[in-house]
Amino acid sequence: MRIDVLTLFPEMFAGPLTESMLRLAQDKGLVDIRIVDIRQYTEGRHRVADDYPFGGGGGMVLKPEPLFRAVEALQQGSETRVILLCPQGETFRQATAARLAAVPHLILLCGHYEGVDERVRTHLAQEELSIGDYVLTGGELPALVVMDAVVRLLPGVLGDPAGPARDSFATGRLDFPQYTRPAEFRGLGVPEVLLSGDHERIARWRRQEALRRTAVRRPDLLQAVPPSDEERRWLAELETARRLAEPGDENL
């Protein structure tokens, strides 16, 4: 995979791209990440990449010419997907990361200031992505989030090839609780089932806990991926236990 990132602030990527999985993936030759200064595609000695908005108002807007020139110079035909990072975009999700991991070439456009000229949005970008309902200074941090989520899904990046299949959201469920040594810490123990050595019981406990956590924290995921018959039984048992534990219940 190749990823080109168009930005006014290339130095923002220096640290994250030289650490952890993003560095490992590059060292293995699994991804080629190139940070491109938008000003390289400007004209004139002042290398102006932004201008005041038509109609007035505060802030500056990124000009269309350098962005169009950059994409046209970098794109590789149908293998390229041009993505604008902006607050108005579709919310970035795990399914989006999985889809983009199959694209040979990504070009990520990092907006800044008051955003980009609308013609970039409507005639250059093929899709828009947002990492949440809040506004950041620019698209650099969202671009890093997208790259991290996508690159870790490339074959050979993670030590455990099956790891992504167990991640939160991969199956429409949050991840189950994880524990490690010591078995007891400050009076806090590890669930007995995890120490039992019974792999079937452990697998069942993990599925149940993943379902419990999803039902409590992200019930919307249960609507997107409806529970199986077995999961519905577990949810019914959880609801019964919750009712029995309510204050004032005679069964306490």
Side-chain angles (χ1 to χ4, degrees), residues 195-215:
L195 307 176
S196 68
D198 187 330
H199 297 297
E200 185 175 342
R201 282 184 62 206
I202 291 172
R204 178 183 174 86
W205 179 87
R206 285 175 168 172
R207 293 197 306 271
Q208 289 177 330
E209 289 301 307
L211 181 65
R212 181 201 305 271
R213 181 168 287 182
T214 304

Side-chain angles (χ1 to χ4, degrees), residues 50-222:
D50 58 332
D51 208 337
Y52 295 102
F54 281 124
M60 304 292 282
V61 177
L62 290 184
K63 294 166 62 66
E65 306 101 299
L67 290 173
F68 271 81
R69 291 192 194 106
V71 169
E72 290 165 355
L74 297 170
Q75 64 185 358
Q76 301 176 348
S78 61
E79 292 192 340
T80 300
R81 188 76 180 164
V82 183
I83 300 172
L84 174 64
L85 287 312
C86 68
Q88 297 90 350
E90 176 187 347
T91 301
F92 183 65
R93 303 184 186 280
Q94 187 67 20
T96 314
R99 171 172 59 82
L100 295 180
V103 178
H105 182 210
L106 299 177
I107 297 180
L108 305 181
L109 308 181
C110 299
H112 220 84
Y113 309 126
E114 288 299 309
V116 301
D117 185 287
E118 185 68 14
R119 289 164 288 191
V120 172
R121 186 191 312 277
T122 56
H123 291 85
L124 186 63
Q126 294 167 296
E127 65 180 289
E128 304 169 51
L129 291 178
S130 166
I131 61 170
D133 293 341
Y134 46 87
V135 178
L136 298 171
T137 304
E140 286 75 18
L141 294 178
L144 282 167
V145 169
V146 169
M147 283 193 288
D148 189 274
V150 169
V151 168
R152 67 185 300 277
L153 297 179
L154 298 179
V157 173
L158 297 182
D160 181 2
R166 297 192 301 267
D167 287 340
S168 291
F169 308 110
T171 60
R173 303 291 181 264
L174 299 182
D175 202 3
F176 50 80
Q178 298 277 12
Y179 294 86
T180 188
R181 293 176 178 84
E184 184 173 337
F185 173 70
R186 296 184 179 180
L188 305 173
V190 173
E192 179 276 331
V193 63
L194 297 180
L195 307 176
S196 68
D198 187 330
H199 297 297
E200 185 175 342
R201 282 184 62 206
I202 291 172
R204 178 183 174 86
W205 179 87
R206 285 175 168 172
R207 293 197 306 271
Q208 289 177 330
E209 289 301 307
L211 181 65
R212 181 201 305 271
R213 181 168 287 182
T214 304
V216 172
R217 301 185 181 184
R218 291 293 304 275
D220 57 297
L221 295 177
L222 298 180

